[in-house]
Structures are given as C-alpha cells and as structure tokens.
Amino acid sequence: MQIEISEFGRADAAASGPAQPVHAGTRLFRAADRGIARATEAAAALLVLAEVALLGTSTASRYLFAHPFAWSDELAAILFLWLAMLGAVIALRRGEHMRLTAFIRGLSPERRAWLDALALMLVAALLLGLVMPSLEHYEERVVGLTPVLQVSEGWRSAAMLVGAGLMLLTAIDRLIQHATWIQIGAALAAVAAAYGLLLWLAPWFEDLGNGSLAIFFVLFVIAAMAIGMPIAFAFLVGTVCYIAFSTTIPLSIVPSRMEEGMSHLILLAVPLFVLLGALMEISGLAQGMIAFLVSLIGHRRGGLQYVLLGAMYLVSGISGAKAADMAAVAPALFPEMKKRGNHEGDLTSLLSASAVMSETIPPSIVLITVGSVTGVSIAALFTGGLMPALVGMLALCAVVWWQSRGEDLASARRFTWGEKGRLLLVALPGLGLPVVIRTAVVEGVATATEVSTIGVVYAVLVGVFVYRRFEWRRVYPVLVDTASLSGAILLVVGAATAIAWALTQSGFSQQLVALMGLVPGGQAGFLVVSALAFIVLGSVLEGVPAIVLFGPLLFPIARQMGVNEVHYAMIAVFAMGFGLFTPPFGVGFYLACAIGRVSPDVAIKRAWPHLAALFVALMLITLIPWISIGFL
C-alpha cells in the first residue's frame, strides 16, 4: 500500500543540512528506541503466528470434529487489536503508512525536508493529545469482563494506549534523526501557534454548528495530506480537532471508536491474506502459474500481455497489496516483452490497468473491508467480484490486440506439448490455491477470515514438500512485513471509523441522503454519479480508507434507491481502483512506474487507451447489474 518510494520523515542528508553532533543523551535515546523497535517487531511477528495457529486449530476443530472453540473468536479479536497497533508502530518507523504525495512529489529535497518535519511534528502532537484519552478509555473498560473468557476488557483497550505511546516515541525519534534542530523548532512553533489559534476560535466553531465540518473534515484533512502526513493521521487530525474545539464530547471517544472499527474479526483476514501472498512468492506458487501461462500463449502476438492479465487475474487480491501483485508478475515478463518491440510505456500502462481490472477479484482486501463496514455478505462479494474483473480484462484484451498487431515474434519460443504438460504439473498447486480459497468461502467450509489460514498452511506445505524451495530464513522478515502493512491498513480503518462516527452524530449523513436523493435520472443517475464520485475518492484516498469513510454513508442510500448491495459494492471498488491508478493524481500509477522502472512522463502518454477501455468496462458494470449479481 506504500506508494512513496522515499520513507516518510527521512530527508536526504543534503536537504537536512550539516551533520549534527550526537550527544550522550541522544545516543541513549536511540539505543532505547532500537531496543523498543526489536521488541515491537518480535511481538508483532509472534502475534501473526498466534493468529494463524488459533484460527487454524479452531477451524479444524469445528469442521473436522464438530467441536468449535467458543472462546477462539474472542481471544483472536484481542490479539488482533494488539497486532494492528504494533503493526502501526512498525509502519510509522519504516515510513510505510499510506500517504498522498501528489502535492509534494515535485518539490525540491530542501522543501520536502521542511514539510516532513512539520508533518512529523503534527503526528507527534496528535499522538500526545491521544495518550490521556486512551488512558481514560482504558480506565473505563478495565472494570468490564469479556463475555466468554471472563477476562478484563482492559486487555483489549490497553492496545490503544500502548500503541499511541509507542508511536509517539517513534515520531519523536524520527524527528531527532531526520530533521535539523532548526526544522524541529520551526515545526514546534507552527504547531503551537495553530493550537493557540484553535483554542481562541473554539467558541466560534461551536456557534458555527455543522459548518465546522467543512473546516475540520475538508480543509484540515486535505491540508494535512497535502504536506505528506500519512492518511490515517490526517483523518485523526480532523476528528480530534472537531471534537476538541467544536463539541463538548470527551476525546476518549476517539480511541473508543477506533477500537471498535479495528476490532471487527472479519478484518483479521487482512494480515492473514497479506501473509499468504508473501508465502506464495517464497514457495514459488506464483512463478509456476506464470511459467505455465507463458507456455500456452506466449508465442502469439500480444501473448505475454495476455499472460500478464491472466496472471494478475489469478494472483491478485491474495497478497493484500497491489504492489506485491505487480511485483510478482512484471519482472518475469517485461524483459521478453521489450525484446519483442513493445514500448515500455505501453507495458507500464498495461501493468497499471491490470491492477484496476483485478480490484474486485476475491479475496480482495477492499472487498473484505466492504463487508466489514457495510454488513454485505463476504461470500456474495467473493462470488460477485469475478465477472466484473472479467469484463475489465476483456476490455484490456481488446486494447492489447490492437496494439500488438505488428509485434515482432522472431524471439518468441514455442513450447512442445510435453513441456506444456510438465509446466502444467508444476503450476497445478498454484492454480489450485485460488480455487480452494474461493470454494471454501462460497461453500461455507470456512469464513473469509478462516480460509486464509487454509491458504497459509497450503502454501507452506507446497513450498516444503512439492517445490522444495521454501526459504525459512525469509519467514521472520515476512511476518514483520505482514504486521507493518496490516497496521498501516488497519490504522486507516480505525481513523476513518472515528470520522464516520463524527459525521453521523453531527447529522451530516442525513443531509447527504437528502442530497443524493436529488440526483436526476433516478437509480441509473445515482449509480453513474456514485461511480464518478468513487473515482475521485479513489484517486485521493485509495480503496480501504475511502470505503471505510464513505461506505456507511452511501450504502444505506443505495438500499433506499433499490440498488443491490453487491452490485453497488462492485461499482465502488472498481471505480476506486480506476481512480487509484489514473494519473496525474492516482498514486497507484506511479507505483506501477516504479515497478516497471519507467519514467511517469513516458508512461502517462501511453495510459489513455487502457484507461478508456476500463472506463467503458466501469460503465457496463454500473448500468448492467447482471454482471455483478448474475451468479449469486
């Protein structure tokens, strides 16, 4: 999900000024910070393993022996919240939280260093302001007992407090290590001045009523994201400032709402599918599928482009990150594609478009998030997502056919039937994994969360006993990476849940319902406007934060308009993917350029045929409900 290549808070040495002397106190702080970092990573890795073991044994006990563990979901939810918060700490340390870079990408390193210092200072100030509310929330919950385990609710709420404290230490450490003292002082003065101004204006904000929503949730959030502040913290800036300066609601409601948003057990599928995607790469499952597809159609005009689309259709959504999907496919195909005379801009554009096409393919993390925040059946979403992706793939195939008419096939290799058979045998375990996962969910063998553990065990067994290439030394880094990416995603979910609660209690949701009801054209007009709105949201926020923030507001309107929820979900997810990978604001497009090692200036000129095809596919999905619900 990380789309900025340079890490958040890490300015170039030249931009940060001359090296600063390292004092004994600074060295001691850094040593303590490194110790905390190692402990945090080890704890997060153990929590990932614990969740796999807990859900795996619980699923096996229920399905094989008809003896479910009544306490397993409760324990898994508690451990999951700790995993999410520790993962968020790791992501902050590594600079892996999702951020909008469209506004700062073209700035000089010197100016970016100043903005990074300001963004980090805002993060630190925000976390400092959340420590006491998190403690109050913990004290409120510690006296309660969980329904099944009968342990204190404080075990769950303590994760918010510990996470806020550790992220505060991390933000301070990033400032000390990667900003000059002048930059730190200037950023501190700016934040202090802003705080004083907000205190002075607080009575005016209270009198302004819902008019303050535009200030805090539009102006403040956009400004925070524009300077490079991670999206999750930008959301929290708007929410905390709105509650603190415009209402009398205690700030402890923020960690409470965040905890609720991050505690949905269905979201446990996020880290487990992220882990599964990494294990597929370690075990060789993805490479086997690609090699087989190449042997089938790689010798035809446009054959490797069709392989790229087919490979993305098969492996997409399992890793939880489009970067992982594209990185697993592109390096294996791009060199040979270039030998055949394909323009590198066309290849990068196709790679980016294939990520859009595959947005609705299960087990997509965005689909899981939709089910979590809207209550739509995950099994129905998994079933409904295959056909919209196929429509998108067919639209891109038409573009590939047109562009590859003059392709040079002199270097193309033709495989014998015997070679194809051997490659099929090698690819069968990989080809079988998506089928196993989707069948298990649709047939009710396991939930969308539990089925990921089946995939994890499957990938490990295939890598160890079939391909015999499983690299055990890579498991620990993969576990830490899983926690980091999951923490980055889930902190956005928690922050967006807090915003959604604030917007709902302010009465904004009712106003939005009334406004959307005025859209001309009835149901069709509402769907087209929704698709265009989700394109814009996707280009700014990405899929997960956008759906968590606006899903609870827009899906009830869709129900009132008589729109099938699965159909609406497919429109939303496909449109947000379109926005995410559409230049100049779609940050996913620049991620594809980085993976393809092509300048965005070169690729952007070649992107429009693929985007036009995908837009046609989106309109078909929007106006023909059968594409999404025909097989339900």
Side-chain angles (χ1 to χ4, degrees):
M1 305 291 288
Q2 166 73 353
I3 46 79
E4 174 63 41
I5 299 174
S6 61
E7 291 189 9
F8 173 54
R10 294 199 175 189
D12 295 336
S16 301
Q20 304 174 63
V22 181
H23 302 288
T26 302
R27 287 196 299 269
L28 180 62
F29 179 85
R30 291 180 180 177
D33 181 72
R34 285 193 296 270
I36 293 174
R38 294 192 186 98
T40 302
E41 291 179 356
L46 287 174
L47 285 170
V48 174
L49 286 177
E51 293 286 21
V52 172
L54 178 59
L55 286 184
T57 54
S58 176
T59 302
S61 179
R62 186 192 69 246
Y63 184 69
L64 298 177
F65 307 108
H67 184 69
F69 300 152
W71 46 267
S72 61
D73 284 357
E74 199 169 272
L75 179 58
I78 295 173
L79 297 180
F80 175 51
L81 192 59
W82 279 93
L83 170 60
M85 293 307 297
L86 294 181
V89 174
I90 298 169
L92 182 60
R93 187 179 310 280
R94 294 180 168 192
E96 293 178 351
H97 279 284
M98 291 178 285
R99 11 176 356 215
L100 177 65
T101 58
F103 297 104
I104 63 175
R105 187 181 297 113
L107 296 179
S108 65
E110 292 81 5
R111 291 183 177 180
R112 288 196 65 169
W114 283 93
L115 287 180
D116 275 351
L118 177 59
L120 272 169
M121 185 61 72
L122 277 171
V123 170
L126 174 68
L127 291 167
L128 180 63
L130 284 177
V131 168
M132 286 306 298
S134 297
L135 177 60
E136 293 171 5
H137 173 60
Y138 168 77
E139 291 173 342
E140 292 170 359
R141 299 293 301 274
V142 73
V143 295
L145 298 178
T146 61
V148 181
L149 290 174
Q150 289 292 294
V151 298
S152 171
E153 290 279 4
W155 285 105
R156 184 200 307 268
S157 301
M160 304 298 299
L161 176 61
V162 173
L166 290 177
M167 281 191 284
L168 174 60
L169 291 176
T170 300
I172 294 172
D173 177 66
R174 298 299 92 182
L175 273 169
I176 292 174
Q177 291 197 42
H178 304 297
T180 65
W181 290 111
I182 295 176
Q183 290 168 347
I184 293 174
L188 180 60
V191 172
Y195 177 73
L197 180 62
L198 288 173
L199 276 179
W200 182 61
L201 292 174
W204 179 71
F205 288 137
E206 292 184 17
D207 295 338
L208 196 59
N210 279 357
S212 63
L213 295 175
I215 296 174
F216 292 113
F217 293 123
V218 178
L219 180 62
F220 277 33
V221 171
I222 291 177
M225 289 193 295
I227 65 172
M229 196 174 185
I231 291 174
F233 296 101
F235 281 179
L236 287 174
V237 162
T239 306
V240 169
C241 289
Y242 169 73
I243 292 176
F245 301 110
S246 185
T247 74
T248 57
I249 301 171
L251 273 179
S252 60
I253 195 66
V254 176
S256 173
R257 295 299 97 186
M258 290 180 66
E259 178 184 319
E260 179 181 338
M262 298 165 68
S263 293
H264 292 295
L265 197 59
I266 187 63
L267 289 174
L268 182 53
V270 172
L272 296 182
F273 276 118
V274 170
L275 175 62
L276 174 57
L279 293 177
M280 284 183 64
E281 194 274 328
I282 292 177
S283 62
L285 288 168
Q287 294 89 330
M289 288 189 287
I290 293 173
F292 173 64
L293 291 174
V294 170
S295 73
L296 288 181
I297 57 175
H299 60 280
R300 299 182 181 276
R301 283 191 172 87
L304 295 181
Q305 287 93 319
Y306 297 133
V307 169
L308 186 150
L309 294 174
M312 287 294 288
Y313 193 94
L314 289 172
V315 306
S316 188
I318 293 178
S319 70
K322 287 300 172 189
D325 296 337
M326 292 188 291
V329 174
L333 298 174
F334 272 25
E336 180 61 27
M337 288 176 165
K338 291 177 183 178
K339 286 182 183 178
R340 298 188 184 186
N342 291 287
H343 192 281
E344 59 182 5
D346 288 333
L347 300 183
T348 302
S349 174
L350 180 64
L351 179 66
S352 176
S354 71
V356 180
M357 167 269 295
S358 59
E359 278 287 271
T360 62
I361 296 175
S364 164
I365 299 302
V366 181
L367 288 183
I368 294 170
T369 307
V370 168
S372 172
V373 301
T374 66
V376 182
S377 165
I378 299 292
L381 290 172
F382 278 13
T383 302
L386 294 172
M387 186 58 68
L390 181 61
V391 171
M393 184 169 68
L394 292 175
L396 292 176
C397 284
V399 177
V400 169
W401 173 82
W402 178 262
Q403 292 181 337
S404 62
R405 290 171 299 156
E407 186 177 58
D408 181 12
L409 298 178
S411 62
R413 178 189 172 188
R414 288 180 177 268
F415 290 79
T416 66
W417 285 105
E419 290 173 324
K420 292 177 182 178
R422 286 192 294 272
L423 288 172
L424 173 59
L425 291 176
V426 172
L428 277 178
L431 295 171
L433 177 58
V435 175
V436 169
I437 289 175
R438 289 153 191 161
T439 302
V441 173
V442 173
E443 297 299 325
V445 175
T447 66
T449 303
E450 295 169 339
V451 76
S452 54
T453 62
I454 298 175
V456 167
V457 174
Y458 181 96
V460 172
L461 292 177
V462 169
V464 172
F465 296 108
V466 179
Y467 293 148
R468 299 182 180 179
R469 52 163 290 179
F470 198 84
E471 302 174 63
W472 290 102
R473 60 182 176 82
R474 295 179 58 187
V475 171
Y476 180 75
V478 160
L479 292 173
V480 177
D481 290 345
T482 296
S484 177
L485 177 57
S486 303
I489 294 173
L490 293 166
L491 190 66
V492 170
V493 172
T497 301
I499 281 191
W501 177 86
L503 291 174
T504 300
Q505 68 85 32
S506 70
F508 173 77
S509 58
Q510 288 78 13
Q511 297 171 5
L512 181 63
V513 170
L515 179 64
M516 294 297 285
L518 299 177
V519 173
Q523 186 184 98
F526 168 74
L527 291 177
V528 171
V529 169
S530 295
L532 297 176
F534 278 118
I535 289 175
V536 175
L537 293 174
S539 68
V540 177
L541 297 179
E542 296 195 39
V544 170
I547 202 65
V548 174
L549 185 56
F550 290 96
L553 301 178
L554 293 178
F555 271 74
I557 304 175
R559 294 189 196 105
Q560 292 183 17
M561 300 287 291
V563 179
N564 183 280
E565 292 176 316
V566 174
H567 178 210
Y568 196 66
M570 296 307 134
I571 296 171
V573 173
F574 198 100
M576 286 187 295
F578 186 93
L580 176 62
F581 287 89
T582 299
F585 296 110
V587 292
F589 174 78
Y590 300 99
L591 177 60
C593 292
I595 292 173
R597 301 184 183 277
V598 175
S599 169
D601 295 334
V602 173
I604 197 171
K605 300 174 184 178
R606 303 275 182 156
W608 307 112
H610 298 107
L611 291 175
L614 287 174
F615 187 78
V616 171
L618 174 59
M619 289 298 102
L620 291 175
I621 294 167
T622 301
L623 299 175
I624 305 176
W626 182 88
I627 295 174
S628 301
I629 62 177
F631 294 97
L632 296 183

